[in-house]
């Protein structure tokens, strides 16, 4: 029995050494599946190939015609820049624009976004309009648990007739207006227009702009009135979760969250999320992926000592 116990212990240590030394990070993708697209890590439940993702909503299309390759959500044009296991999907989305010269309107862009299952993050994003002759609106649907979708609309207006009145580095309502988002917004239309075709302000502000942007990445300055004319996309955050049922509803489902992990309900939207227990690290959506960080640290240090 002593020999068998020692053999089992050595086997476990061998597995831990392999996990600790094969890569500085824990596995994030299913075995045999790619865990990267260009500069973007792709953790399960997301994936790029058949059998590598959990349902069509988690498909990531890796377009290698770019250098480096770019990741896109499902088969859409939504460019994904980061995926976190905490239920956050960082993307880039088009800006609404309404531009003029002395002859009249030169360009108008009205972006839309429709998310079949995911939700626009109210905690991470804000709605912003920029311009000195600008009226902007965001309209869409709110997805609320246990009820039908309801219509949602919010507006923002900014006005000024001279650049000297526009505060620098402060979105105060003069040249820039911002407002928060409601919870549960899953699709939207952004419209921006002017009242006077930017008459009298074309030299420093020929366009009106409106967009949803990740709040911590938003910085306004007077130069934005001109500089945004050459910017097409800005960063935004989407909340993702698994399914439509809460943790209480899936607690008897053994495949909901894997070993050494726990289930929790998201702050925004339906479904559930998983996280490793305290003292464990890994991908809680993969079997046996949440590993004891203290054991791995000890084994890794021991292995490195033997290598010297």
């Amino acid at each position: 029995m002593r020999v068998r116990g020692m053999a089992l212990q050595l086997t476990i240590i061998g597995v831990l050494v392999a996990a600790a030394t094969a890569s500085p990070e824990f596995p994030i993708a299913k075995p045999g599946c790619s865990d990267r697209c260009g500069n973007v890590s792709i953790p399960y439940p997301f994936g790029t190939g058949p059998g590598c993702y959990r349902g069509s909503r988690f498909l990531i299309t890796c377009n290698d015609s770019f250098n480096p390759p770019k990741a896109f959500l499902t088969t859409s044009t939504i460019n994904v820049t980061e995926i976190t296991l905490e239920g956050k999907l960082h993307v880039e989305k088009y800006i609404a624009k309404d531009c003029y010269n002395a002859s009249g309107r030169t360009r108008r862009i009205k972006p839309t976004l429709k998310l079949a299952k995911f939700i626009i993050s109210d905690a991470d994003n804000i709605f912003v309009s920029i311009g000195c002759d600008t009226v902007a609106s965001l309209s869409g649907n709110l997805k609320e648990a246990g009820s039908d979708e309801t219509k949602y609309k919010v507006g923002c207006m900014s006005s000024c007739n001279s650049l000297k009145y526009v505060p620098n580095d402060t979105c105060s309502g003069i040249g820039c207006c911002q407002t928060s988002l409601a919870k549960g917004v899953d699709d939207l239309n952004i419209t921006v227009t002017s009242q006077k075709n930017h008459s009298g302000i074309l030299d420093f502000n020929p366009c009106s702009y409106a967009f949803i942007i990740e709040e911590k990445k938003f910085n306004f300055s007077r130069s934005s009135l001109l500089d945004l004319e050459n910017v097409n996309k800005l960063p935004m955050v989407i909340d993702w979760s698994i399914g439509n049922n809460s943790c209480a509803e899936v607690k008897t489902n053994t495949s909901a969250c894997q070993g050494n992990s726990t289930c929790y309900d998201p702050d925004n939207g339906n479904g559930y999320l998983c996280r490793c227990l305290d003292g464990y690290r890994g991908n809680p959506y993969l079997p046996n992926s949440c590993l004891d960080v203290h054991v791995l640290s000890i084994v890794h240090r021991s292995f490195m000592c033997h290598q010297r």
Side-chain angles (χ1 to χ4, degrees):
M1 292 296 293
R2 181 180 176 84
V3 172
R4 289 179 60 189
M6 290 178 63
L8 178 60
Q9 185 180 26
L10 288 172
T11 300
I12 293 173
I13 290 175
V15 171
L16 291 175
V17 168
T21 59
S23 170
E25 296 296 330
F26 291 84
I28 60 172
K30 294 179 74 173
C33 296
S34 174
D35 64 359
R36 295 196 70 80
C37 175
N39 297 325
V40 181
S41 296
I42 312 294
Y44 185 80
F46 293 88
T48 60
C52 294
Y53 52 90
R54 180 172 179 154
S56 59
R57 73 182 76 176
F58 294 102
L59 167 65
I60 296 294
T61 299
C62 190
N63 189 332
D64 58 10
S65 66
F66 296 93
N67 185 22
K70 287 187 176 182
F72 294 89
L73 183 61
T74 63
T75 56
S76 72
T77 58
I78 302 173
N79 183 200
V80 177
T81 59
E82 183 184 2
I83 304 170
T84 77
L85 290 172
E86 291 74 38
K88 300 295 181 181
L89 195 66
H90 295 254
V91 304
E92 290 184 338
K93 196 67 185 103
Y94 286 103
I95 306 172
K97 296 184 181 182
D98 189 34
C99 299
Y100 296 84
N101 61 20
S103 301
R105 179 179 282 146
T106 60
R107 181 169 41 158
R108 194 174 194 192
I109 300 172
K110 297 191 290 183
T112 63
L113 177 64
K114 186 171 181 62
L115 300 169
K117 298 296 180 180
F118 299 151
I119 302 292
I120 298 168
S121 176
D122 65 301
D124 298 290
N125 302 307
I126 52 174
F127 178 57
V128 177
S129 71
I130 289 179
C132 279
D133 179 19
T134 301
V135 179
S137 67
L138 182 157
S139 59
N141 293 324
L142 292 178
K143 182 183 293 183
E144 299 175 287
S147 64
D148 295 331
E149 288 191 331
T150 58
K151 297 297 182 181
Y152 168 70
K153 190 168 186 177
V154 64
C156 222
M157 183 174 73
S158 54
S159 179
C160 41
N161 57 19
S162 172
L163 192 60
K164 69 180 180 180
Y165 298 123
V166 180
N168 214 17
D169 301 320
T170 302
C171 188
S172 64
I174 303 175
C176 178
C177 171
Q178 68 181 61
T179 187
S180 59
L181 299 177
K183 288 184 178 295
V185 180
D186 65 345
D187 68 78
L188 59 86
N189 297 277
I190 296 177
T191 301
V192 63
T193 188
S194 73
Q195 295 179 309
K196 300 178 181 179
N197 295 350
H198 287 246
S199 176
I201 58 173
L202 287 170
D203 57 334
F204 66 88
N205 179 218
C207 297
S208 293
Y209 316 96
F211 45 85
I212 291 177
I213 187 171
E214 185 176 359
E215 184 173 14
K216 68 181 182 181
K217 293 185 178 179
F218 175 60
N219 292 294
F220 174 74
S221 67
R222 290 174 182 168
S223 63
S224 301
L225 297 172
L226 277 176
D227 293 347
L228 282 173
E229 187 173 359
N230 299 315
V231 176
N232 294 318
K233 294 181 179 181
L234 288 171
M236 184 177 75
V237 182
I238 294 171
D239 289 331
W240 65 266
S241 58
I242 305 291
N244 297 312
N245 298 321
S246 67
C247 285
E249 294 169 319
V250 301
K251 64 182 179 181
T252 58
N253 184 350
T254 56
S255 65
C257 295
Q258 301 298 323
N260 298 323
S261 69
T262 186
C263 179
Y264 67 101
D265 294 326
D267 293 328
N268 189 24
N270 303 323
Y272 68 90
L273 293 166
C274 302
R275 59 175 164 237
C276 293
L277 298 174
D278 290 345
Y280 291 82
R281 185 175 161 213
N283 186 336
Y285 303 97
L286 291 174
N288 306 314
S289 179
C290 289
L291 305 176
D292 189 322
V293 294
H294 302 296
V295 173
L296 284 175
S297 178
I298 292 170
V299 172
H300 183 69
R301 287 201 301 270
S302 176
F303 181 81
M304 295 304 293
C305 288
H306 285 297
Q307 289 292 95
R308 291 192 180 100

